[in-house]
Amino acid sequence: MSTVLPDAIGARRLNRGITATWWYTVSGVMVFQVMVVFIWLSIFGGMSVDPVTLATVGIGGLVWCAASLPLLLQYRHRDDTAGPVAGWRSTLIPLAIAVVFGIVSGVASGLWLVGAVPLIQSLALLNWPRGVRLRLLVTAMVLLAALWFIDWRTAFPDADAEISSAWVVFGVFGVGLPAMTVMSLWWWDVLVTLDRARVAEARLGATQERLRVATDVHDLQGHHLQVIALQLELAERLLDKDPDAALEQLRLARTSVTEARQGTRNLAMRFRGVPLPDEIANAVDLLRAAGTSADAEVSPDAAAAPASVLGPVIRETTTNVLRHGGGRRARLSLTRQGGSGEQGAAWRYEIVNDAASDPASGDDGSGLDGISRRVAEAGGEVSVERTKTEFHVVVTVPDRAPGKDVRR
């Protein structure tokens, strides 16, 4: 892969996608808790509970929901090897608030379920090991279901149909709240695991490419250096006995040096002269590995395009998207304008990404200025367009541009 992505830029792109999902998870858990509090208030209103109790449960419930946020934020950076109260200072206050709210609301309403749900819900947000979390969830749901049944038999022994249906809703949300929370956190854990696997895959691909290059260089240079060493050793032995033969071995050693240099040059050109369809595919893979939604349109005969001109352009524009783009989406295309061999036929390379800062020059002083110079030397044109939502680069190169050296 020709384009290099700095680790910091790659990490920023990869983290951007799961951040939105994390806040979606947080908002989902908060909505569940707020709904439970409002269902409690509606049930208590039907029970003709006094306004002081309603206000106590309502205000206490909102404070309890707010106190759950630190537990969720701590869960985002959970460590599988740490215990549930590894950061006990940030855990103690939310748990204390849940206990106080449970006791106050339970005593005020006279319902066991109302007193138990806040503490169990807060415990479900802690960093439990996966096996412990499942056992805790099953135990909690059985306990809450039992308390719900006890409350129903004691508080509403002769309830009418309307109260009974409302109490069923009360029980479903009260007993099911920890399960809905654990499912949301489980989905977050799955997403984090997939994201780490994506990062590892991208790094493994880059490592394998470096290893392949290093292996080819080692094999090439090792072979030639061994031959040269043998030729020089033979020349040294023949120098006194047969100077002409020694001189011939020195000439052969010089020839081997030339072959080694040419082989190294050919090896470097092989990696630089990647066919353009592969260049586009590499660019798309790199963008996707960095968390950008990328797609490409490539003409079937794109391998005939001038690779020496468009190859560096593709790599440079991809780097600009990674360094300066918004990181959400990108689209690449390489198409032929006109038929092969026709007068005025040209190749059109286009890359569009979400709006970003001005990438007129790269960190090394190249960037779009260098692209413009390279394309102009080949008789082509570069068009750059910036809007509020997109950054658009179009490169047009004649079909018969110099340096059409790609392998077919």
Side-chain angles (χ1 to χ4, degrees), residues 217-265:
V217 172
H218 175 270
D219 293 344
L220 175 69
Q221 296 293 347
H223 168 73
H224 284 290
L225 288 176
Q226 186 177 13
V227 171
I228 293 170
L230 291 174
Q231 290 171 335
L232 291 177
E233 182 180 357
L234 183 57
E236 183 180 7
R237 292 181 179 181
L238 295 175
L239 188 59
D240 295 332
K241 300 179 180 179
D242 191 347
D244 293 336
L247 183 60
E248 180 63 23
Q249 291 301 321
L250 291 176
R251 292 194 185 99
L252 292 175
R254 186 176 62 180
T255 302
S256 298
V257 171
T258 303
E259 291 176 353
R261 293 173 57 190
Q262 185 60 42
T264 304
R265 187 179 299 110

Side-chain angles (χ1 to χ4, degrees), residues 10-25:
R12 185 168 63 250
R13 294 290 189 267
L14 291 168
N15 289 333
R16 183 175 298 168
I18 65 174
T19 299
T21 305
W22 164 250
W23 288 113
Y24 174 82
T25 303

Side-chain angles (χ1 to χ4, degrees), residues 325-374:
R328 292 183 295 275
R329 55 183 173 81
R331 185 178 72 255
L332 298 83
S333 68
L334 179 60
T335 56
R336 186 200 293 270
Q337 295 178 327
S340 177
E342 292 183 3
Q343 184 69 24
W347 286 95
R348 186 178 188 271
Y349 167 71
E350 177 182 8
I351 183 168
V352 182
N353 63 283
D354 45 325
S357 58
D358 183 7
S361 61
D363 296 338
D364 57 355
S366 55
L368 293 180
D369 291 339
I371 291 175
S372 299
R373 288 192 298 269
R374 178 183 295 273

Side-chain angles (χ1 to χ4, degrees), residues 46 130 203 226 253 398:
R130 287 180 174 82
R203 292 177 176 173
Q226 186 177 13

Side-chain angles (χ1 to χ4, degrees), residues 308-313 315 369-380:
S308 61
V309 179
L310 291 177
V313 170
R315 293 191 290 269
D369 291 339
I371 291 175
S372 299
R373 288 192 298 269
R374 178 183 295 273
V375 173
E377 292 174 357

Side-chain angles (χ1 to χ4, degrees), residues 111-350:
L111 299 175
W112 288 98
L113 182 62
V114 175
V117 166
L119 177 59
I120 292 178
Q121 168 66 5
S122 298
L123 290 176
L125 296 175
L126 298 182
N127 180 26
W128 299 100
R130 287 180 174 82
V132 175
R133 179 187 298 277
L134 179 59
R135 293 193 291 269
L136 176 66
L137 174 63
V138 173
T139 304
M141 292 188 66
V142 172
L143 175 62
L144 292 177
L147 294 177
W148 170 71
F149 182 77
I150 293 172
D151 288 336
W152 190 5
R153 304 305 293 179
T154 56
F156 305 100
D158 301 317
D160 55 21
E162 182 178 355
I163 292 295
S164 297
S165 61
W167 190 255
V168 170
V169 176
F170 177 88
V172 169
F173 275 87
V175 175
L177 177 61
M180 291 185 287
T181 300
V182 170
M183 288 296 293
S184 298
L185 297 179
W186 172 80
W187 169 247
W188 167 252
D189 291 339
V190 170
L191 182 65
V192 170
T193 301
L194 291 175
D195 187 71
R196 289 174 178 171
R198 182 176 61 175
V199 175
E201 181 182 10
R203 292 177 176 173
L204 179 61
T207 301
Q208 289 177 335
E209 180 68 13
R210 295 189 187 102
L211 181 60
R212 184 170 68 89
V213 174
T215 301
D216 290 345
V217 172
H218 175 270
D219 293 344
L220 175 69
Q221 296 293 347
H223 168 73
H224 284 290
L225 288 176
Q226 186 177 13
V227 171
I228 293 170
L230 291 174
Q231 290 171 335
L232 291 177
E233 182 180 357
L234 183 57
E236 183 180 7
R237 292 181 179 181
L238 295 175
L239 188 59
D240 295 332
K241 300 179 180 179
D242 191 347
D244 293 336
L247 183 60
E248 180 63 23
Q249 291 301 321
L250 291 176
R251 292 194 185 99
L252 292 175
R254 186 176 62 180
T255 302
S256 298
V257 171
T258 303
E259 291 176 353
R261 293 173 57 190
Q262 185 60 42
T264 304
R265 187 179 299 110
N266 293 339
L267 181 63
M269 290 301 298
R270 189 178 72 185
F271 289 109
R272 292 177 183 175
V274 177
L276 289 180
D278 293 343
E279 287 279 11
I280 297 287
N282 287 344
V284 170
D285 289 343
L286 182 59
L287 291 169
R288 289 175 178 173
T292 301
S293 176
D295 57 85
E297 176 187 358
V298 181
S299 175
D301 58 345
S308 61
V309 179
L310 291 177
V313 170
I314 294 172
R315 293 191 290 269
E316 183 62 38
T317 53
T318 302
T319 302
N320 280 339
V321 172
L322 293 169
R323 290 178 177 173
H324 307 285
R328 292 183 295 275
R329 55 183 173 81
R331 185 178 72 255
L332 298 83
S333 68
L334 179 60
T335 56
R336 186 200 293 270
Q337 295 178 327
S340 177
E342 292 183 3
Q343 184 69 24
W347 286 95
R348 186 178 188 271
Y349 167 71
E350 177 182 8

